[in-house]
């Protein structure tokens, strides 16, 4: 199985990016075709990249749009060069060991309907796995693999066939929830998603609230996610559950104000094309432990 990798960077972590590329390059099996996308920077001028393809974006288009540019480079290759699966990796991570690629190939070969593999993310200093990095409602043991209903945006492998069938990431999201939008479309098309604890990306533990726009965008995109993908009867239920949970968890007005503004923005604005999932997909997600109202 021919693999490729898309790495998005803003050019502010050149040493970490070069280290990631080295860990991709040392993987066993056929060489991995690497695309580095400079989101508002000239990736072609970054140091120590080696033999990789680069895409220079004149401005920061956001995470989903930036990654989409990398996917397009690979999808537009001649058939004999086009990868069968694409690794999407954060530029400050590194693959653990030299067997990740071979394990990805084996997993896809063993299950033809496996569409997306979500990696375990481990802090290299402490060895801990953050709760938010295990895509299950009941996290349980992070070293336990299972089928899931979403995946980690910067630590995954996706079949090219999934992107060709259901489309790329929603560029208008800019940041947050774009991978869940893709996951729901993939599930509705009959693909499965697995969290694999034996595939590790080493990545420093961080908090998503480090982004200044976190509260506004996470609320807006949550609304867009529902409006784009859920049957209409579930949209108000899903949003009501998240509204209640957020208000209960956050009593700080400095947090709630931008969140409420983002929620209102999502309600008022267009979410883009609507492709509601089938009720059989709702039931399938429920059986996997995450009905799309949670």
């Amino acid at each position: 199985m021919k693999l490729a990798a898309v790495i998005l960077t803003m050019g502010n972590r050149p040493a970490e990016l070069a280290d990631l590329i080295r860990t991709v390059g040392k993987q066993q099996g056929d060489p991995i075709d690497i695309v580095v996308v400079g989101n508002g920077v000239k990736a072609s001028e970054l140091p120590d990249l080696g033999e990789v393809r680069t895409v220079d974006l004149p401005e920061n288009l956001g995470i989903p749009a930036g990654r989409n540019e990398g996917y397009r480079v690979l999808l537009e290759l001649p058939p004999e060069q086009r990868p069968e699966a694409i690794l999407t990796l954060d530029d400050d991570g590194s693959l653990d060991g030299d067997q990740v690629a071979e394990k990805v190939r084996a997993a896809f070969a063993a299950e033809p309907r496996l569409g997306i593999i979500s990696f375990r993310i481990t802090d290299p200093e402490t060895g801990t796995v953050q709760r938010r990095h295990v895509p299950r409602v009941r996290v349980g043991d992070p070293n336990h693999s299972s089928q899931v209903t979403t995946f980690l945006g910067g630590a995954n492998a996706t079949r090219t066939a999934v992107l060709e069938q259901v489309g790329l990431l929603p560029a208008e999201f800019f940041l947050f929830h774009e991978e869940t939008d893709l996951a729901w479309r993939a599930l509705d098309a009959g693909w499965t998603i697995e969290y694999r604890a034996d595939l590790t990306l080493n990545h420093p533990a961080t908090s998503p609230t480090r982004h200044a726009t976190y509260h506004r965008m996470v609320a807006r995109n949550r609304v867009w996610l529902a409006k784009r993908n859920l049957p209409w009867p579930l949209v108000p239920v899903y949003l009501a559950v998240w509204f209640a949970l957020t208000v209960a968890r956050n009593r700080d007005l400095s947090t709630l104000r931008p969140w409420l503004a983002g929620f209102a923005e999502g309600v008022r604005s267009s979410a883009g094309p609507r492709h509601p999932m089938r009720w059989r997909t709702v039931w399938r997600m429920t059986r996997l432990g995450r009905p799309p109202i949670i």
Side-chain angles (χ1 to χ4, degrees):
M1 173 177 281
K2 182 182 289 293
L3 298 181
V6 168
I7 304 169
L8 184 67
T9 185
M10 295 184 69
N12 55 347
R13 295 185 283 235
E16 292 88 341
L17 173 61
D19 184 55
L20 171 60
I21 290 173
R22 282 192 290 270
T23 66
V24 174
K26 76 176 185 180
Q27 293 300 303
Q28 296 295 308
D30 291 339
I32 298 173
D33 193 358
I34 301 174
V35 179
V36 176
V37 180
N39 213 3
V41 298
K42 290 188 176 182
S44 56
E45 297 180 358
L46 295 175
D48 301 323
L49 296 189
E51 297 296 322
V52 304
R53 304 175 191 270
T54 58
V55 178
D56 296 339
L57 300 179
E59 60 181 309
N60 180 1
L61 301 180
I63 288 179
R67 286 175 175 156
N68 284 349
E69 292 301 313
Y71 298 151
R72 288 190 183 98
V73 168
L74 297 168
L75 294 173
E76 291 171 2
L77 291 173
E80 65 274 11
Q81 299 179 32
R82 191 177 304 142
E84 296 169 79
I86 301 172
L87 310 181
T88 305
L89 305 170
D90 276 349
D91 68 342
D92 55 344
S94 62
L95 294 178
D96 187 26
D98 61 3
Q99 293 296 314
V100 173
E102 287 291 76
K103 289 179 180 179
V104 166
R105 293 184 178 102
F108 281 134
E111 178 47 66
R113 294 307 298 173
L114 175 59
I116 303 172
I117 300 172
S118 188
F119 299 172
R120 181 182 65 173
I121 295 181
T122 301
D123 182 274
E125 296 294 328
T126 65
T128 59
V129 179
Q130 291 182 278
R131 188 187 192 285
R132 68 189 183 91
H133 286 158
V134 183
R136 297 187 289 248
V137 172
R138 295 183 177 178
V139 171
D141 183 359
N143 297 316
H144 169 67
S145 303
S146 70
Q147 282 197 36
V148 290
T149 61
T150 188
F151 63 97
L152 306 174
N156 68 80
T158 303
R159 277 192 203 266
T160 306
V162 172
L163 301 176
E164 292 173 329
Q165 180 179 2
V166 307
L168 305 181
L169 297 166
E172 56 268 53
F173 279 37
F174 197 86
L175 179 66
F176 304 121
H177 299 319
E178 67 274 2
E179 57 276 288
T180 300
D181 185 273
L182 176 58
W184 285 6
R185 284 181 278 131
L187 289 170
D188 199 50
W191 297 98
T192 60
I193 305 170
E194 288 187 2
Y195 167 74
R196 288 288 299 265
D198 59 331
L199 301 172
T200 300
L201 182 81
N202 293 316
H203 186 284
T206 58
S207 170
T209 58
R210 70 189 186 279
H211 299 284
T213 58
Y214 169 78
H215 297 292
R216 180 178 68 84
M217 285 192 174
V218 80
R220 181 198 66 183
N221 292 359
R222 181 79 70 184
V223 179
W224 283 356
L225 178 69
K227 288 166 65 175
R228 286 166 58 96
N229 295 285
L230 293 182
W232 278 124
L234 292 186
V235 173
V237 179
Y238 178 87
L239 296 180
V241 168
W242 278 106
F243 190 97
L245 284 174
T246 302
V247 172
R249 291 170 176 170
N250 297 281
R251 302 302 176 89
D252 185 351
L253 287 179
S254 65
T255 295
L256 280 178
R257 284 195 187 98
W259 192 93
L260 292 170
F263 191 93
E265 180 184 350
V267 171
R268 292 193 307 265
S269 58
S270 171
R274 177 169 159 75
H275 301 288
M277 67 177 63
R278 296 168 294 177
W279 286 102
R280 63 187 293 182
T281 305
V282 173
W283 174 238
R284 181 181 171 201
M285 292 176 65
T286 303
R287 291 176 60 192
L288 288 172
R290 190 156 201 160
I293 58 171
I294 299 176

